[in-house]
């Protein structure tokens, strides 16, 4: 669920890099809180271990005192001093009672110490796992930001290429070339028109000469002469 929530946050984030940085900070703070809690748990365990060690030491100490008092009582009884022997035997009993009490306290603390030791071991492993995850998250954050920057740079290149395509100078040259071709075509058209006009003038001149010849022959016919000879002689 946490992973799904993180993915949802990243998808919705306007700036994934800022979100990743915040995740690293939050996870770092969580680890710091976990370290504090685990340190307190370890401290409590060490206090239990110290109390257990004191109980064990007390039990051994009272056991030694009971043994010493019992031996002293045996010596006094052997010497015929029964009253003092009884006193030392009683002291031995008191010491044995204190020994039993210390042993009982030490034994009653052992299950708690064992369970707390197991808890601390698990917490330490969990903390190591959290630290590993933080390192992984930091590395992943760097990788994702680098990939995001690369993608952004590629997008900028693509946008630049699109701009170049839209403002392709070769297309401008082609358009200018087309304009020149149209101008050249216009000149050719004007030349063709000029040539047609000149041909028409020569045709008109030829038609005028023909009319002159016709008029000359008509005049010769009226004069009763030879029209062909009149045209030839220029009469």
């Amino acid at each position: 669920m946490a992973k799904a929530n993180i993915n949802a946050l990243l998808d919705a984030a306007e700036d994934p890099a800022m979100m990743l940085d915040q995740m690293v900070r939050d996870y770092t703070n969580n680890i710091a809180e976990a370290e504090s809690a685990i340190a307190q748990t370890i401290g409590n365990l060490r206090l239990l271990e110290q109390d257990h060690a004191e109980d064990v030491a007390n039990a051994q100490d009272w056991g030694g005192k009971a043994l010493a008092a019992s031996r002293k009582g045996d010596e006094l009884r052997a010497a015929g001093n029964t009253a003092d022997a009884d006193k030392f035997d009683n002291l031995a009993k008191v010491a044995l009672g204190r020994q039993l009490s210390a042993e009982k306290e030490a034994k009653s603390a052992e299950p708690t110490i064992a369970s707390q030791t197991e808890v601390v071991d698990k917490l330490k492993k969990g903390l190591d796992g959290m630290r590993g995850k933080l390192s992984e998250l930091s590395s992943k954050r760097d990788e994702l930001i680098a990939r995001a920057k690369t993608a952004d740079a590629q997008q900028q290149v693509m946008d630049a290429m699109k701009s170049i395509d839209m403002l392709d100078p070769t297309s401008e040259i082609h358009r200018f070339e087309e304009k020149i071709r149209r101008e050249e075509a216009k000149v050719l058209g004007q030349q063709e028109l000029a040539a047609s006009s000149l041909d028409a003038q020569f045709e008109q001149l030829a038609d005028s000469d023909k009319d002159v010849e016709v008029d000359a022959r008509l005049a010769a016919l009226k004069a009763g002469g030879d029209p062909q000879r009149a045209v030839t002689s220029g009469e």
Side-chain angles (χ1 to χ4, degrees):
M1 290 177 64
K3 187 175 182 180
N5 291 335
I6 290 173
N7 290 335
L9 288 173
L10 288 176
D11 291 338
E14 294 182 0
D15 189 348
M18 293 181 61
M19 179 61 68
L20 288 169
D21 288 339
Q22 185 62 45
M23 287 172 57
V24 171
R25 287 192 293 270
D26 291 343
Y27 206 67
T28 301
N29 293 334
N30 290 337
I31 289 177
E33 293 175 0
E35 288 175 341
S36 178
I38 294 172
Q40 184 64 51
T41 303
I42 293 174
N44 294 337
L45 174 60
R46 297 298 175 253
L47 289 176
L48 287 174
E49 290 174 341
Q50 290 176 5
D51 291 342
H52 178 267
E54 289 179 2
D55 290 335
V56 172
N58 287 335
Q60 292 176 348
D61 183 52
W62 285 113
K65 289 179 179 180
L67 178 60
S70 176
R71 287 178 178 177
K72 184 64 176 177
D74 290 343
E75 290 177 1
L76 292 172
R77 187 168 282 104
N81 190 350
T82 305
D84 288 338
D86 291 339
K87 290 180 181 180
F88 277 98
D89 285 343
N90 288 332
L91 288 175
K93 290 179 179 180
V94 171
L96 289 172
R98 296 289 179 85
Q99 182 187 34
L100 289 172
S101 177
E103 289 177 349
K104 183 178 180 180
E105 289 183 6
K107 188 172 183 180
S108 65
E110 289 176 357
T112 303
I113 292 174
S115 63
Q116 287 296 96
T117 299
E118 184 178 357
V119 169
V120 166
D121 290 341
K122 290 181 178 179
L123 290 175
K124 285 182 177 180
K125 290 179 180 179
L127 182 60
D128 290 340
M130 291 179 68
R131 288 169 176 165
K133 289 294 183 181
L134 176 60
S135 177
E136 181 181 348
L137 178 60
S138 299
S139 299
K140 195 65 176 179
R141 175 257 183 205
D142 295 338
E143 176 191 347
L144 290 175
I145 290 179
R147 287 170 58 186
K149 289 181 178 179
T150 300
D152 183 61
Q154 291 176 341
Q155 185 61 50
Q156 291 180 3
V157 171
M158 294 299 296
D159 292 341
M161 291 179 64
K162 289 180 180 178
S163 299
I164 291 174
D165 290 339
M166 293 177 63
L167 301 176
D168 188 356
T170 57
S171 63
E172 294 295 318
I173 293 175
H174 179 70
R175 188 172 59 147
F176 186 65
E177 182 181 5
E178 287 296 320
K179 182 178 180 181
I180 293 175
R181 289 184 62 193
R182 288 194 296 271
E183 292 294 332
E184 291 174 343
K186 182 178 180 181
V187 171
L188 290 175
Q190 290 175 344
Q191 290 176 349
E192 185 174 339
L193 286 175
S196 298
S197 177
L198 183 62
D199 291 341
Q201 291 178 10
F202 277 108
E203 289 178 0
Q204 290 177 0
L205 179 60
D207 291 340
S208 178
D209 292 342
K210 182 178 180 181
D211 292 340
V212 170
E213 182 180 355
V214 170
D215 291 342
R217 290 191 180 193
L218 179 59
L221 286 175
K222 289 183 177 293
D226 184 359
Q228 182 65 35
R229 187 171 62 84
V231 172
T232 304
S233 61
E235 297 178 354

